[in-house]
Amino acid sequence: MSNFSSSISDANLRRRLIIGSISLAVAVSIIFIVVAYRLSSDLAESIEVKEFNKQFRWFFTELESLNRQIEDPEQLITAVQNNPVFQNLESELVAVEVWSNQKLYKVLNRINAADMINELASIGESLEANGALKYQDQHLFWQFQRTPGNTFSLLLVRKISSLDQALSFIANRLSITAFLTFWLAIWAALVMSAVITKRFEENNQKLTFLALHDPLTGLKNRTYLHEYFNAEVNNSKPLRQKIDQEQAAILMIDLNKFKDVNDIFGHATGDELIKIIALRLQAVIGENDALFRYGGDEFLVWLNLDDSRDVMPFASELLNCCGRPVPLANNQFEVGASIGIAYYPQDGEKLDTLVKHADIAMYHAKKLRSGFEFYQKQLPVFSERHVLLRGQLTQALALQQFVLVYQPKVSLPDGKIIGVEALARWQHPLDGLLSPVDFIDLIEQSGAIHSFSRFVITDAIKQAKLWLDAGTPMPISINLSVYNLADPELVTFFQNQFAQFKVPAELLEVELTESASMTDIKVTQTAFKQLHELGVKLSIDDFGTGMSSFAYLRELDMDFVKIDRSFVASMLDDRRNELVVKGLISMCQSLEKNVIAEGIETAEQAEKLYELGCRIGQGYFFGKPCFASDIKTVTNETSV
């Protein structure tokens, strides 16, 4: 399946090992032969020269004694030729010369003595001398001795046969040794190559597995997906022949509440949950299909289709796997999932296109809370746009493309500004100024929620400091996500920022949506208590839209309750909404909670809210969100 090539091929590895071993064997053999040759020849030559010296001295003594007795020099030559030493060495001798009474007699002259003048000239006045020389590719050794009175001298020059003898002696043995070494090297190379190649194969298999599989779950990863797609599609003739049919489907699975588990219970618990979900998904995947961990809490299924297979039952089965409670650490976790489905080749013939379209469908399913959705070309353009924006979030934070704008909160009796709400905007380089509707969900689903919220906190406190130093202190409310409440460092971060910029905590108000605050009431209670003790004002936003109750108002330690704009917008036209607003205001007042009405767009709405007992309002009637420098110009001075 995989096209990954091994880092070292078997054939190349074995070839290199064998060549290396043979080269080593040849080198060792050459060194061995040379050393053995040198040692043998030197030893033989040393023994031969020592023996020749002994024979020469005896020969010289005999001839010197004979020379004193013989009157006719010609007899001396005959005596030399008849001497046993001469006869034994005659085959090896190349020159024999004697001097009697300073007269030269050449007994044997196989070489020209004149060629040895340079060697003999070194004798000088020495009584004896010897040396070696090379003459016509022959290795020669010469020995000279004379009497103190120079009445008799003897020169012998002989061949040194030890080199040839040594070479012939060791040639057979060295050839046998070299042959054995050569074959031993080949066998050693074969054995080593088999062992080393096996180890390399094992290591390559491990590396390949790590490169193609997720280390946490053991599932195939994104890299393997590309290999798999190429094998299933590009190299599959039956698939290419059915261009007008649904041949396969990609199902993008995204866990819905995994981030809550990670943030509240830690990454170790999140990892265990991922592994359990992976095992469940694996159990329902067919032999001809493939499951991949695409990243984080996302899985991807490649589903091969035929006439008897339908995607919808399979998608429902996947949802059931993800929706069943997961027992972990004495707790039961229910995360659920959203699935986006894209068909091959109708929704794309390239993998990147298919994955993108499945991601768009998945995001649409998450937004509709429908479980799973099929990609459709008529899906709203914003789905694809959201996918693109999600990929740009990290860079946007790094480049500080987010800014804060401020919307006034006013006192309904006189219309004076008593505070502002900080609202984030994304200064997108291509799309301009984007509102939270375009990106806040993406941030909450990404890993950037804490970084983003810290930016909002710091920027709001900086602005509060500017207004404080200008002598016009202005309370600022900021919106936090429920995911921030699970951050154990949140309160400490607030403390550090207040201390750094020297801003009183009561100038900051934290708003949290009612539905978000109910996600985990215990976590919300703890966070609210810590922030309230710090001096931060607390508010529940969008009140009335979720599953609110009198008990929640009683249990949460808050300062303000913001009535959702949907009630305000229709209360003049719908008597029932007016009664709801009246009831909410009355309930909050009975619990000594300040009420803020948002979404006020007309004077009539403001007047009605004031009549119903609301004293703080916010909306376009008083001012649209604007930059801090423009806040003083948007105040509506009309009293209610």
Side-chain angles (χ1 to χ4, degrees):
M1 178 62 65
S2 172
N3 292 329
F4 273 68
S5 59
S6 299
S7 59
I8 299 180
S9 67
D10 296 349
N12 287 338
L13 177 61
R14 295 194 177 197
R15 188 182 303 114
R16 291 174 185 175
L17 285 173
I18 292 173
I19 292 175
S21 298
I22 293 175
S23 300
L24 179 61
V26 171
V28 170
S29 299
I30 292 174
I31 294 173
F32 175 74
I33 290 171
V34 171
V35 172
Y37 174 81
R38 292 292 185 189
L39 289 175
S40 299
S41 61
D42 290 346
L43 179 61
E45 182 179 334
S46 175
I47 294 173
E48 186 174 0
V49 169
K50 187 175 181 180
E51 183 64 26
F52 177 65
N53 286 339
K54 185 189 297 184
Q55 292 175 340
F56 178 83
R57 289 189 181 92
W58 183 84
F59 191 31
F60 178 81
T61 302
E62 290 288 323
L63 292 182
E64 193 270 335
S65 175
L66 187 62
N67 180 57
R68 289 196 300 268
Q69 300 172 11
I70 295 176
E71 295 180 359
D72 184 2
E74 296 297 331
Q75 294 179 358
L76 180 62
I77 296 174
T78 303
V80 171
Q81 293 174 341
N82 293 330
N83 189 281
V85 174
F86 177 84
Q87 292 175 352
N88 289 336
L89 297 176
E90 185 177 6
S91 62
E92 300 294 330
L93 294 173
V94 294
V96 178
E97 296 182 355
V98 295
W99 285 264
S100 179
N101 297 319
Q102 298 184 352
K103 184 176 180 180
L104 173 64
Y105 298 94
K106 295 184 177 183
V107 180
L108 184 63
N109 189 26
R110 290 175 179 166
I111 65 171
N112 188 359
D115 295 332
M116 300 177 60
I117 291 177
N118 292 335
E119 295 288 339
L120 298 176
S122 64
I123 297 175
E125 300 298 327
S126 301
L127 295 179
E128 60 180 298
N130 59 58
L133 72 154
K134 190 173 183 180
Y135 178 79
Q136 294 181 353
D137 296 328
Q138 295 185 72
H139 292 276
L140 305 177
F141 181 79
W142 58 271
Q143 186 94 5
F144 173 80
Q145 190 169 349
R146 61 187 170 189
T147 59
N150 201 18
T151 57
F152 181 78
S153 301
L154 174 63
L155 171 67
L156 292 184
V157 181
R158 63 164 293 184
K159 295 185 293 182
I160 299 176
S161 60
S162 61
L163 295 178
D164 296 332
Q165 292 175 357
L167 184 59
S168 65
F169 178 78
I170 67 174
N172 292 334
R173 291 164 176 79
L174 289 179
S175 62
I176 294 173
T177 302
F179 179 80
L180 292 175
T181 303
F182 178 78
W183 281 109
L184 284 174
I186 292 178
W187 280 108
L190 292 174
V191 173
M192 286 190 300
S193 67
V195 173
I196 295 175
T197 301
K198 183 177 180 181
R199 291 185 179 179
F200 269 104
E201 287 175 351
E202 292 174 352
N203 290 334
N204 285 335
Q205 288 173 358
K206 291 178 182 178
L207 290 174
T208 301
F209 184 86
L210 291 175
L212 297 174
H213 291 78
D214 171 52
L216 178 64
T217 62
L219 296 178
K220 304 173 184 68
N221 61 14
R222 189 180 302 192
T223 304
Y224 197 108
L225 174 62
H226 287 81
E227 299 289 329
Y228 186 90
F229 180 82
N230 291 335
E232 286 291 310
V233 176
N234 295 344
N235 300 325
S236 180
K237 293 181 180 179
L239 282 179
R240 288 201 297 268
Q241 290 171 356
K242 300 189 298 180
I243 285 298
D244 58 338
Q245 299 180 23
E246 297 167 351
Q247 303 163 32
I250 277 186
L251 292 86
M252 178 69 75
I253 308 168
D254 183 87
L255 302 183
N256 289 335
K257 300 176 183 177
F258 176 73
K259 189 168 180 11
D260 295 351
V261 177
N262 245 3
D263 289 344
I264 297 174
F265 295 94
H267 290 281
T269 302
D271 288 346
E272 289 300 317
L273 187 145
I274 286 290
K275 287 195 284 188
I276 292 174
I277 295 294
L279 289 174
R280 290 181 179 178
L281 294 174
Q282 238 175 339
V284 302
I285 299 298
E287 293 182 0
N288 297 325
D289 309 318
L291 173 66
F292 306 86
R293 188 184 181 196
Y294 198 69
D297 61 341
E298 290 184 332
F299 298 89
L300 188 143
V301 175
W302 175 270
L303 187 68
N304 284 303
L305 299 177
D306 53 40
D307 296 337
S308 62
R309 300 190 76 179
D310 189 2
V311 177
M312 293 181 66
F314 182 74
S316 298
E317 193 172 2
L318 294 178
L319 289 176
N320 181 53
C321 288
C322 299
R324 296 200 308 268
V326 178
L328 276 178
N330 300 322
N331 289 303
Q332 295 282 337
F333 296 95
E334 295 185 16
V335 291
S338 298
I339 301 177
I341 305 169
Y343 283 114
Y344 172 84
Q346 290 90 330
D347 297 330
E349 295 186 10
K350 293 184 178 180
L351 179 62
D352 291 343
T353 304
L354 281 170
V355 171
K356 182 181 75 171
H357 288 168
D359 200 32
I360 291 172
M362 180 273 294
Y363 183 81
H364 197 56
K366 189 178 289 287
K367 184 176 181 64
L368 297 178
R369 299 182 181 180
S370 58
F372 62 85
E373 290 289 330
F374 294 89
Y375 173 76
Q376 300 173 12
K377 293 181 180 179
Q378 63 268 29
L379 277 177
V381 178
F382 72 81
S383 295
E384 184 168 350
R385 183 163 173 262
H386 270 61
V387 173
L388 296 175
L389 290 177
R390 181 165 53 184
Q392 300 168 1
L393 278 176
T394 302
Q395 186 179 18
L397 282 168
L399 297 177
Q400 299 181 341
Q401 293 178 354
F402 291 98
V403 296
L404 294 185
V405 294
Y406 300 88
Q407 186 175 27
K409 294 179 182 178
V410 303
S411 170
L412 289 182
D414 53 20
K416 291 183 179 179
I417 296 179
I418 59 172
V420 294
E421 179 181 2
L423 302 168
R425 296 290 186 267
W426 183 351
Q427 286 185 322
H428 196 278
L430 299 178
D431 297 338
L433 203 63
L434 304 180
S435 71
V437 175
D438 296 310
F439 61 83
I440 199 64
D441 287 343
L442 301 178
I443 289 179
E444 288 188 344
Q445 295 166 17
S446 72
I449 182 63
H450 294 315
S451 299
F452 176 77
S453 297
R454 277 165 167 71
F455 150 74
V456 172
I457 293 169
T458 301
D459 219 48
I461 292 177
K462 285 181 180 179
Q463 185 57 50
K465 174 64 172 175
L466 293 175
W467 280 327
L468 184 64
D469 290 345
T472 56
M474 182 78 70
I476 301 176
S477 64
I478 60 173
N479 293 277
L480 288 187
S481 166
V482 64
Y483 303 111
N484 298 125
L485 300 183
D487 180 6
E489 304 297 326
L490 179 65
V491 176
T492 302
F493 184 77
F494 270 110
Q495 287 176 322
N496 293 338
Q497 296 302 299
F498 288 140
Q500 179 180 348
F501 295 102
K502 297 180 174 56
V503 171
E506 58 267 19
L507 286 181
L508 201 68
E509 176 187 332
V510 170
E511 294 186 11
L512 198 72
T513 60
E514 177 199 1
S515 57
S517 63
M518 296 306 108
T519 301
D520 192 321
I521 186 63
K522 292 182 179 179
V523 172
T524 305
Q525 283 177 325
T526 301
F528 269 38
K529 181 180 179 181
Q530 292 175 341
L531 290 172
H532 203 272
E533 290 174 352
L534 190 61
V536 175
K537 301 297 183 181
L538 301 170
S539 173
I540 294 295
D541 197 9
D542 300 333
F543 190 74
T545 58
M547 303 298 292
S548 59
S549 70
F550 187 84
Y552 292 150
L553 289 177
R554 180 189 63 194
E555 292 176 9
L556 293 179
D557 189 8
M558 70 188 76
D559 299 285
F560 300 95
V561 175
K562 296 184 73 173
I563 298 176
D564 187 67
R565 66 182 67 245
S566 61
F567 296 108
V568 174
S570 58
M571 69 177 182
L572 295 181
D573 302 321
D574 190 334
R575 176 64 178 170
R576 289 172 300 179
N577 279 345
E578 179 182 340
L579 293 176
V580 170
V581 173
K582 182 179 180 180
L584 292 175
I585 294 173
S586 176
M587 180 172 56
C588 293
Q589 287 176 340
S590 64
L591 292 173
E592 298 180 351
K593 308 296 183 184
N594 294 308
V595 179
I596 303 173
E598 58 181 351
I600 300 174
E601 297 185 356
T602 65
E604 290 78 13
Q605 291 173 343
E607 291 173 359
K608 175 57 71 174
L609 288 166
Y610 183 72
E611 290 176 7
L612 295 176
C614 180
R615 296 295 180 261
I616 304 174
Q618 180 181 349
Y620 283 3
F621 176 65
F622 303 106
K624 295 182 179 181
C626 60
F627 291 105
S629 58
D630 300 324
I631 282 293
K632 60 184 178 181
T633 66
V634 300
T635 306
N636 191 319
E637 298 295 344
T638 303
S639 60
V640 176

